[in-house]
């Protein structure tokens, strides 16, 4: 079923706080083969000018994709998740995500399109600290194949 | 790691090419670390049922591998300020010890304000592009 164009601009309430842990950052860095010490050694990170270990740039997806599920569970968004593939991803980093950050995600539907029988849904997740400091914007375009 | 200065690069400057090997074990580790447990990234039965040639790498894993080429060149993992990719074709990862080979090339596409440069990436497997667009903006020293 095609997605309703009226969904564009819909925003969801802020997520629960995600507390960024050093161990999670180290685990993610190891999984992508990134061995820079700023991801696992707080002293090395401080020497490089960061308050604590920093996350690799695509770590933001760990927080943003979970937040974006609020869209897929919206009863007015009829998207068959078993047919969904990731079409496009963009991150804008205002600063690196850092261990100890307490992040809140706010999700908005940025665009809805149908192209060649596929439904395209673009979600934007704004990650900010609890105190409102903007950290990262993650924009994901999901493609539901053959559903439009 | 030494920091790369914006004064040392020009449009057309090439980043060192990297050839990265991706095995099933890498996909399982990435699934755990990222929380993306979609079975198409570890289960052949499910992958072929949905019409894929076999288990494929997470697009986000390929995106992460390509980012390493940029941040290691910049000498600073915190330097990447913007990163945009479009997933073109999947990286099929066979169930053997060799896995798939992903080649990442990068070239400076533009010099921007405040020491930022745009790097255009070309990511291929078996000679075919897997990302139909891949651009990173890094802030150099």
């Amino acid at each position: 079923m095609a997605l309703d164009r009226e969904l564009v601009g819909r925003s969801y309430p802020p997520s629960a706080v995600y507390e960024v842990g050093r161990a999670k950052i180290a685990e993610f860095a190891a999984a992508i083969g990134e061995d820079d010490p700023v991801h696992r050694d707080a002293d090395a990170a401080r020497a490089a000018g960061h308050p604590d270990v920093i996350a690799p740039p695509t770590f933001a997806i760990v927080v943003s994709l979970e937040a974006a599920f609020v869209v897929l569970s919206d009863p007015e968004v009829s998207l068959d998740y078993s047919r969904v593939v990731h079409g496009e991803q963009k991150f804008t980093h205002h600063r690196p995500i850092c261990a100890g950050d307490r992040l809140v995600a706010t999700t908005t539907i940025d665009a809805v399109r149908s192209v060649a029988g596929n439904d395209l849904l673009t979600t934007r997740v704004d990650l900010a600290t609890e105190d409102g400091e903007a950290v990262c914007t993650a924009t994901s375009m999901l493609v539901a194949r053959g559903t439009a | 790691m030494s920091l790369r200065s914006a004064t040392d690069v020009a449009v057309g400057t090439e980043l060192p090419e990297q050839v990265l090997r991706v095995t099933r074990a890498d996909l399982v580790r990435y699934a755990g670390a990222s929380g993306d447990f979609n079975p198409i990234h570890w289960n052949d039965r499910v992958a072929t049922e949905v019409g894929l040639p076999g288990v494929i790498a997470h697009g986000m894993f390929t995106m992460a591998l390509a980012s390493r080429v940029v941040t290691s060149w910049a000498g600073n993992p915190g330097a990447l300020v913007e990163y945009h990719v479009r997933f073109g074709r999947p990286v099929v990862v066979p169930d053997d010890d060799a896995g798939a080979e992903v080649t990442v090339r990068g070239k400076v596409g533009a010099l921007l304000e405040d020491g930022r440069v745009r790097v255009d990436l070309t990511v291929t497997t078996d000679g075919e592009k897997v990302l139909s667009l891949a651009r990173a903006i890094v802030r150099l020293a």
Side-chain angles (χ1 to χ4, degrees):
Chain A
M1 196 172 88
L3 288 167
D4 190 341
R5 301 291 178 278
E6 306 231 322
L7 292 167
V8 175
R10 179 174 291 195
S11 202
Y12 297 86
S15 70
V17 170
Y18 179 97
E19 185 164 335
V20 180
R22 284 183 184 165
K24 190 67 192 176
I25 288 178
E27 178 192 11
F28 189 88
I32 66 165
E34 172 60 73
D35 55 11
D36 193 297
V38 296
H39 302 306
R40 49 180 61 81
D41 177 347
D43 290 334
R46 288 189 195 107
H50 306 291
D52 204 321
V53 293
I54 60 165
T58 64
F59 177 86
I61 199 73
V62 174
V63 191
S64 70
L65 203 58
E66 189 170 302
F69 268 96
V70 72
V71 178
L72 299 174
S73 57
D74 180 339
E76 289 177 45
V77 178
S78 49
L79 204 66
D80 178 0
Y81 192 61
S82 68
R83 308 196 65 83
V84 166
V85 295
H86 202 167
E88 208 168 314
Q89 181 65 40
K90 182 177 180 182
F91 297 106
T92 303
H93 291 285
H94 308 297
R95 65 158 173 84
I97 292 176
C98 193
D101 277 342
R102 290 173 56 81
L103 300 176
V104 173
T106 308
T107 303
T108 306
I109 297 179
D110 253 6
V112 166
R113 289 194 295 150
S114 295
V115 175
N118 301 321
D119 273 326
L120 276 49
L121 173 73
T122 303
T123 61
R124 188 184 81 238
V125 178
D126 290 302
L127 298 178
T129 65
E130 249 179 335
D131 306 327
E133 179 197 1
V135 176
C136 174
T137 299
T139 307
S140 305
M141 198 267 279
L142 302 176
V143 182
R145 290 173 300 157
T147 56
Chain B
M1 203 177 334
S2 64
L3 298 176
R4 185 169 304 275
S5 165
T7 54
D8 294 339
V9 305
V11 171
T13 297
E14 290 187 17
L15 281 62
E17 174 184 308
Q18 286 196 31
V19 179
L20 305 153
R21 194 159 285 289
V22 179
T23 65
R24 290 282 176 94
D26 295 324
L27 301 188
V28 171
R29 190 176 299 117
Y30 183 79
S34 68
D36 182 347
F37 292 102
N38 189 328
I40 62 171
H41 303 305
W42 50 270
N43 184 319
D44 274 305
R45 178 175 48 82
V46 174
T48 51
E49 269 172 16
V50 299
L52 294 165
V55 161
I56 62 167
H58 305 72
M60 286 305 306
F61 183 57
T62 307
M63 186 177 186
L65 293 181
S67 76
R68 280 172 42 201
V69 173
V70 180
T71 55
S72 65
W73 173 76
N76 174 9
L80 201 156
V81 292
E82 198 175 297
Y83 189 26
H84 185 188
V85 311
R86 196 170 292 146
F87 302 105
R89 64 166 58 221
V91 175
V92 179
V93 179
D95 185 14
D96 58 28
D97 295 334
E101 208 174 74
V102 174
T103 302
V104 183
R105 297 183 188 86
K107 195 184 269 192
V108 173
L111 304 178
L112 310 169
E113 293 169 350
D114 306 329
R116 293 172 308 136
V117 305
R118 193 190 80 217
V119 175
D120 299 330
L121 294 162
T122 305
V123 181
T124 56
T125 190
D126 293 330
E128 304 263 16
K129 269 193 189 189
V130 293
L131 302 179
S132 51
L133 174 145
R135 283 179 168 180
I137 294 176
V138 276
R139 194 188 307 276
L140 299 180

